[in-house]
Amino acid sequence: MSTVSDYFGSQVFDDRVMRATLSADVYASLRHTIDEGTELDIGVANAVAEAMKNWAVGKGATHFTHWFQPLTGITAEKHDSFITPSPDGSVIMEFSGKELIKGEPDASSFPSGGLRATFEARGYTAWDPTSYAFIKGKTLCIPTAFCSYGGHALDKKTPLLRSMEVLSQQALRILRLFGNDDAKRVVSSVGPEQEYFLITREMYEQRPDLRFTGRTLFGARPPKGQEMDDHYFGVIKPGVAAFMEDLNDELWKLGILAKTEHNEVAPAQHELAPIYTTTNVATDHNQLTMEIMQKVAAKHGLVCLLHEKPFAGVNGSGKHNNWSISTDSGQNLLSPGDTPYENAQFLLFLCAVIKAVDDYQDLLRIAVATAGNDHRLGANEAPPAVISIFLGDELNAVLEAIDSDTPYAGTEKKIMKLGVDVLPKFRVDTTDRNRTSPFAFTGNKFEFRMLGSSNSIACTNIMLNAAVAESLRIYADRLEKAEDFETALHDMIRKTIKDHKRIIFNGNGYDDAWIKEATEVRGLTNYRTTADCMPHLLDEKNVEMLTGLGVFTIDELKSRRDIMLENYCKSVTIEANTMINMVHKRIAPAITRFTSDLARQAADKIALFPDLACSYESELVRRLSILTDSIAQRTNSLEKAVIGLQQAEDIIEEAERIRDTVLPAMSELRIPCDEAELLTAKSYWPFPSYGDILFSVK
Ligand code: ADP
Ligand code: MG
């Protein structure tokens, strides 16, 4: 039997393969491009393409594809085979540098939010050499960016790469001020923890709501849910263990660092966490992970649900974005150092994050906004829609001491001055005891916990990188001009703490009192829904920052706002129509059949035994008939709300109508249906129950 280290990365054209298959010159030139972002010349591209093709064909690949991440949130690929005809009737396998570098998928049906007029419908893809090519099935996949001919980004990778670049530039300016002349780049890294549900295909197939929308739209609570907390970290069932084993194998072959796996809080809910890597690669890997989870599940007769809220009343699924920044030599800039000087640098980077999160709370909320995630945020299981930062006791005490110019209790009684001699040495507590904070410092990284399980992590990291780059830019502008660096540094850290301490909150983020304090006393934003937050993408301060740093153009921002709102409207409309359909075709007929059978039986019994009351049957018929009336009336209201969407003047108004009329009508309709489920005999109910589904995998 082969060991993991034998086959780890076997499907990846990684550094090992490059070194083995490229000439020294070509390898050096490609490495330079990967590490420092320099342009690649066509001669090198041709040599790389040839080596890549030979390697891939040797592994059984017949096709190649430019693999990209359009704004649909999932990945896209169009396969071309390597074959080129020869005059003698045979074929040879060819792949040129030009094909490697640039592709022109006929991608006119991807959303562009008006960025691509039909005459330039094609758009093009461009190789991202910083993410290794890999083989999936029989296809060589080349990670690429996707742009319009006008140069506008039509994907999530392009702005992510731009945000990494500006963060690096601004962080290097700060490092130079601290005397670091060696660092060539600063990179942001991410370890995304991925939650998901596993259910059997048999259950899935019987639920039109799961098939059409990814979540259940009806379903009474099971007698046993997650109240016993016996699933969390519990023993993994054999069917799940077999899935996880296969999943790990597939991920490892693709060089994905799958590390931990465990059961989550809800029955049938699990988590997979990889070891962190650079933001760009982590994003590609997370997209691949989600795709492979679904494929492997299918092989096991299972379905992997990545929806944020597949079951009402049961914990939803999120994704934790563990984020840090480090130099190319591996120094983590969010790690307190051993010397006061290093700690001053650490405090400045920490402040940059605090300022960024406070100044751009809305952008972080926008980055995770989807119809699915709106069901989680603020539902006592995920952090609220209000963003705050948890720092832990030590760090909090350090910042408070600086803020109030008082001695820091943790050390000798010295005034907290950031001068080299007087800054105390401190250690931060690396255990994070607060699981309710949306943005928690966990020793040497920040964990952003608001992402939904199906979200691409690209959007979050674009906003995070850009916002932190902006803080650093402002700091660098000031510090570079300062006459006395240490005084200026101290003043700046102090000012950041004063200006932004409202965003720091170490208490319970799930508490209603906190939401009140956050919004009414501290003035933090609380955008409950996608419809509430998305228009703010175009607020002046956001546009200024994002376009100023060159992360987005104004047109790209406009198009993204529209596409995200369209996605929101479309997914909720599909849900509403699915509900209406399920009521008419399945739920109402089932209740009617059950009540008429009951009524007939009761009548038969009374005919035989006139002294019987048959009160069980008659009460049930009565109750179910009242519910049926209510279902009829509420279905009607939902239908009207959906039709009303046509009157919306623009996408913002449509999203508001979704929020204010369609979603409430859906919740209303669900209530009598779920009650009817509890009262109807199992053999009559047309769908498997929550209990059936959640405990289906053995
Ligand atoms: P948790 O307590 O939330 O399970 P872990 O310490 O297990 O936290 O880490 C969770 C994730 O954070 C993993 O993906 C891990 O690789 C990642 N991680 C650890 N250190 C860093 C870092 N410096 N930068 C980014 N991610 C990191
Ligand atoms: Mg975590």
Side-chain angles (χ1 to χ4, degrees):
M1 233 184 89
S2 59
T3 61
V4 177
S5 51
D6 294 334
Y7 62 87
F8 184 86
S10 61
Q11 301 297 94
V12 185
F13 192 75
D14 60 14
D15 199 63
R16 292 175 297 186
V17 187
M18 289 178 193
R19 226 183 257 272
T21 59
L22 299 172
S23 72
D25 284 357
V26 170
Y27 173 78
S29 174
L30 177 59
R31 205 60 251 176
H32 203 241
T33 298
I34 295 173
D35 295 337
E36 276 152 63
T38 50
E39 216 157 298
L40 199 69
D41 83 57
I42 188 70
V44 174
N46 278 328
V48 175
E50 180 68 14
M52 241 187 218
K53 180 222 33 181
N54 291 337
W55 167 80
V57 170
K59 290 191 165 283
T62 54
H63 288 67
F64 70 92
T65 183
H66 277 198
W67 183 77
F68 59 102
Q69 298 168 30
L71 296 169
T72 51
I74 48 173
T75 58
E77 46 197 76
K78 175 194 156 213
H79 299 179
D80 278 297
S81 73
F82 291 119
I83 60 166
T84 303
S86 283
D88 65 359
S90 66
V91 292
I92 49 168
M93 302 296 255
E94 271 192 340
F95 184 47
S96 68
K98 211 170 125 251
E99 288 171 302
L100 168 64
I101 293 178
K102 190 166 168 182
E104 293 184 22
D106 178 14
S108 48
S109 2
F110 288 115
S112 80
L115 276 183
R116 212 177 17 183
T118 31
F119 65 84
E120 55 158 359
R122 283 154 71 86
Y124 68 93
T125 48
W127 180 33
D128 166 22
T130 62
S131 181
Y132 296 137
F134 55 91
I135 297 172
K136 207 166 50 134
K138 287 183 172 293
T139 303
L140 169 68
C141 298
I142 297 147
T144 54
F146 179 41
C147 299
S148 76
Y149 267 99
H152 290 299
L154 296 171
D155 68 347
K156 305 203 176 199
K157 186 188 271 277
T158 307
L160 180 63
L161 292 172
R162 291 175 186 156
S163 75
M164 292 171 73
E165 187 55 42
V166 293
L167 179 62
S168 177
Q169 283 165 9
Q170 301 304 331
L172 284 176
R173 288 176 69 193
I174 299 288
L175 290 178
R176 300 288 183 255
L177 289 167
F178 280 90
N180 179 336
D181 294 322
D182 304 332
K184 290 205 201 78
R185 280 184 80 78
V186 167
V187 286
S188 54
S189 301
V190 170
E193 301 165 56
Q194 175 75 49
E195 291 181 341
Y196 59 97
F197 279 85
L198 271 187
I199 64 171
T200 62
R201 174 152 292 274
E202 191 196 347
M203 293 298 140
Y204 176 84
E205 292 295 349
Q206 296 177 61
R207 298 277 322 202
D209 43 6
L210 281 178
R211 282 190 285 121
F212 295 142
T213 73
R215 74 175 178 114
T216 56
L217 301 167
F218 299 100
R221 305 219 174 155
K224 178 179 193 294
Q226 63 194 53
E227 45 283 277
M228 310 285 288
D229 280 331
D230 53 355
H231 190 256
Y232 191 52
F233 279 39
V235 177
I236 297 173
K237 290 178 187 165
V240 177
F243 161 83
M244 286 176 169
E245 204 173 296
D246 250 16
L247 175 63
N248 283 336
D249 272 352
E250 293 302 318
L251 295 177
W252 288 335
K253 281 188 217 156
L254 286 169
I256 297 172
L257 295 155
K259 173 85 174 163
T260 52
E261 54 199 22
H262 60 79
N263 287 351
E264 263 299 330
V265 177
Q269 193 184 32
H270 313 279
E271 183 188 288
L272 177 123
I275 297 170
Y276 69 99
T277 174
T278 56
T279 325
N280 171 35
V281 173
T283 304
D284 287 356
H285 281 181
N286 183 250
Q287 293 296 133
L288 272 176
T289 300
M290 292 194 284
E291 179 185 327
I292 291 166
M293 279 177 163
Q294 280 159 316
K295 280 195 185 144
V296 172
K299 271 200 228 155
H300 287 252
L302 305 173
V303 174
C304 173
L305 302 177
L306 289 168
H307 194 283
E308 283 76 18
K309 193 73 184 173
F311 308 98
V314 175
N315 260 23
S317 299
K319 184 138 58 188
H320 290 174
N321 192 81
N322 295 274
W323 178 92
S324 69
I325 42 180
S326 55
T327 64
D328 49 349
S329 62
Q331 185 199 359
N332 183 343
L333 300 172
L334 294 178
S335 193
D338 291 328
T339 66
Y341 215 68
E342 282 170 349
N343 277 343
Q345 182 184 300
F346 160 72
L347 280 180
L348 189 65
F349 279 102
L350 182 81
C351 283
V353 177
I354 294 171
K355 176 172 163 57
V357 173
D358 188 28
D359 285 342
Y360 300 102
Q361 305 159 37
D362 45 356
L363 289 181
L364 290 174
R365 169 67 184 96
I366 286 167
V368 301
T370 58
N373 210 21
D374 285 355
H375 293 292
R376 281 175 70 243
L377 300 177
N380 277 329
E381 59 178 76
V386 178
I387 300 196
S388 62
I389 300 182
F390 169 86
L391 290 177
D393 296 340
E394 274 92 343
L395 216 43
N396 220 39
V398 171
L399 295 193
E400 266 169 18
I402 296 171
D403 183 27
S404 58
D405 242 339
T406 50
Y408 168 56
T411 58
E412 320 93 84
K413 303 275 176 230
K414 279 182 182 167
I415 300 287
M416 288 288 290
K417 271 240 175 200
L418 293 162
V420 182
D421 318 318
V422 272
L423 184 81
K425 192 170 157 173
F426 60 85
R427 284 253 148 246
V428 301
D429 185 357
T430 50
T431 59
D432 153 34
R433 276 165 266 107
N434 186 321
R435 310 300 292 180
T436 63
S437 174
F439 204 97
F441 184 69
T442 52
N444 61 359
K445 62 186 188 290
F446 278 98
E447 181 169 355
F448 182 46
R449 301 181 174 137
M450 276 170 70
L451 287 83
S453 47
S454 70
N455 283 164
S456 158
I457 64 169
C459 302
T460 284
N461 290 295
I462 293 168
M463 296 310 180
L464 205 49
N465 290 344
V468 173
E470 178 69 359
S471 304
L472 295 173
R473 183 189 68 76
I474 293 168
Y475 290 172
D477 280 354
R478 258 184 252 150
L479 288 174
E480 282 167 359
K481 290 197 206 93
E483 282 175 13
D484 173 5
F485 175 68
E486 276 167 27
T487 308
L489 178 67
H490 178 260
D491 291 350
M492 197 134 60
I493 289 181
R494 203 150 167 224
K495 180 168 163 35
T496 302
I497 298 169
K498 281 212 179 320
D499 292 351
H500 299 287
K501 63 180 169 195
R502 65 171 187 163
I503 197 81
I504 297 168
F505 176 64
N506 292 294
N508 179 5
Y510 293 2
D511 198 345
D512 287 341
W514 159 241
I515 304 299
K516 205 167 142 68
E517 180 190 329
T519 52
E520 290 171 18
V521 182
R522 301 196 188 200
L524 301 177
T525 53
N526 181 18
Y527 297 130
R528 305 275 319 275
T529 71
T530 302
D532 294 310
C533 69
M534 203 49 80
H536 293 285
L537 182 58
L538 294 182
D539 285 359
E540 205 177 316
K541 73 169 179 73
N542 296 335
V543 173
E544 246 171 45
M545 185 274 280
L546 291 166
T547 61
L549 291 173
V551 172
F552 285 108
T553 64
I554 178 71
D555 291 336
E556 287 168 354
L557 286 173
K558 284 184 184 153
S559 76
R560 264 154 230 257
R561 181 202 60 182
D562 289 354
I563 290 169
M564 297 318 283
L565 285 171
E566 269 166 30
N567 284 349
Y568 173 73
C569 294
K570 277 186 199 157
S571 42
V572 178
T573 306
I574 292 171
E575 288 179 351
N577 286 328
T578 303
M579 279 187 106
I580 293 167
N581 188 278
M582 285 169 79
V583 167
H584 289 314
K585 304 272 178 207
R586 318 280 287 272
I587 295 178
I591 303 172
T592 310
R593 212 165 348 103
F594 181 54
T595 46
S596 57
D597 283 359
L598 270 178
R600 205 170 330 106
Q601 281 156 19
D604 289 352
K605 280 199 219 171
I606 290 171
L608 278 174
F609 309 106
D611 58 321
L612 280 181
C614 285
S615 54
Y616 179 79
E617 290 89 342
S618 57
E619 277 308 311
L620 202 49
V621 170
R622 190 183 156 73
R623 183 71 205 135
L624 280 168
S625 303
I626 293 170
L627 287 172
T628 314
D629 284 350
S630 158
I631 290 170
Q633 180 246 321
R634 291 176 186 201
T635 307
N636 200 273
S637 303
L638 179 56
E639 284 164 342
K640 282 210 187 102
V642 172
I643 290 168
L645 292 175
Q646 287 163 8
Q647 278 152 26
E649 302 260 324
D650 57 24
I651 193 69
I652 294 183
E653 196 195 322
E654 187 177 340
E656 286 166 356
R657 280 172 180 260
I658 291 271
R659 176 194 64 198
D660 299 335
T661 63
V662 178
L663 282 166
M666 285 165 61
S667 306
E668 287 291 298
L669 172 56
R670 181 175 178 146
I671 297 166
C673 294
D674 289 356
E675 191 181 337
E677 180 187 348
L678 288 174
L679 298 176
T680 303
K682 191 164 180 63
S683 58
Y684 287 77
W685 198 254
F687 321 112
S689 69
Y690 270 22
D692 298 333
I693 304 171
L694 288 168
F695 298 96
S696 63
V697 182
K698 301 293 175 231

